[in-house]
Amino acid sequence: MASPITILKNEEQLYKASNIQDAARFMANHLNISKLKLYDPIERGYVYNIPYYVEEDEYVFFAPEAVAAKRRVEMEERGHKNARRVWLIPANPNDYDLELAFQRYDTIDWRRSYNYENGDLLFIYVSGHIKQVRYKAEVVQGYIDLSDNTYK
């Protein structure tokens, strides 16, 4: 079954592909690179809303939500290399009041130590006197420019 994929470049529609092979072929011609290098970014792009950057240009890939949801389930059940990753990360309550932050805000900007990507799951281990995994969060934006950070 063909799964249409819309490609945006810097928020403008660039191409409407009939499937991932067509999207990879178009992008390979557009960027003058091997289409084999594009399957993973396209798949992670439409499944987890992860943009693909080439220099200053941002490429975004969309598929119908039902198609993306079905592929997400398939990848996660099979442990596919493009499935979202699961992280265990520490949080020191003496450095940051995570409990208060989760109570007050819908979204928290987190200093990244690793390459978290959209869709990745973070289990947050609270150290200090608590010593427990207390929170589960999903990455909704893998990289935030420091100037965009609202709460420091």
Side-chain angles (χ1 to χ4, degrees):
M1 178 177 110
S3 299
I5 298 172
T6 301
I7 303 170
L8 303 181
K9 177 182 178 184
N10 301 326
E11 300 180 11
E12 305 248 343
Q13 184 170 325
L14 184 62
Y15 186 71
K16 214 166 176 74
S18 58
N19 54 43
I20 193 167
Q21 292 83 5
D22 184 27
R25 188 173 25 262
F26 172 82
M27 289 295 295
N29 290 334
H30 179 73
L31 299 172
N32 196 29
I33 61 175
S34 168
K35 71 178 182 178
L36 297 175
K37 293 182 178 183
L38 294 162
Y39 285 106
D40 290 346
I42 292 170
E43 184 171 59
R44 285 189 61 83
Y46 81 81
V47 172
Y48 295 114
N49 302 316
I50 300 172
Y52 178 65
Y53 295 96
V54 177
E55 297 175 3
E56 298 296 318
D57 294 322
E58 177 186 68
Y59 294 89
V60 177
F61 307 100
F62 291 103
E65 182 54 38
V67 171
K70 180 180 177 192
R71 184 62 182 146
R72 186 170 33 254
V73 169
E74 288 172 354
M75 289 184 345
E76 290 173 5
E77 285 179 349
R78 295 181 182 153
H80 190 279
K81 68 178 180 168
N82 285 336
R84 67 177 160 189
R85 296 168 295 174
V86 178
W87 301 85
L88 177 62
I89 62 171
N92 186 337
N94 297 324
D95 292 340
Y96 188 74
D97 189 345
L98 200 55
E99 184 173 348
L100 183 62
F102 274 115
Q103 288 174 6
R104 283 194 181 167
Y105 309 115
D106 293 329
T107 303
I108 298 174
D109 297 338
W110 193 272
R111 189 182 98 229
R112 38 188 269 163
S113 304
Y114 301 99
N115 276 336
Y116 309 128
E117 292 183 334
N118 297 21
D120 284 359
L121 293 177
L122 306 178
F123 287 90
I124 304 171
Y125 173 83
V126 182
S127 61
H129 68 283
I130 297 174
K131 296 182 179 130
Q132 291 181 348
V133 174
R134 282 273 178 98
Y135 303 97
K136 174 185 172 187
E138 182 176 353
V139 176
V140 294
Q141 186 173 349
Y143 175 77
I144 299 173
D145 191 315
L146 287 177
S147 62
D148 292 339
N149 191 335
T150 308
Y151 307 102
K152 296 181 169 56

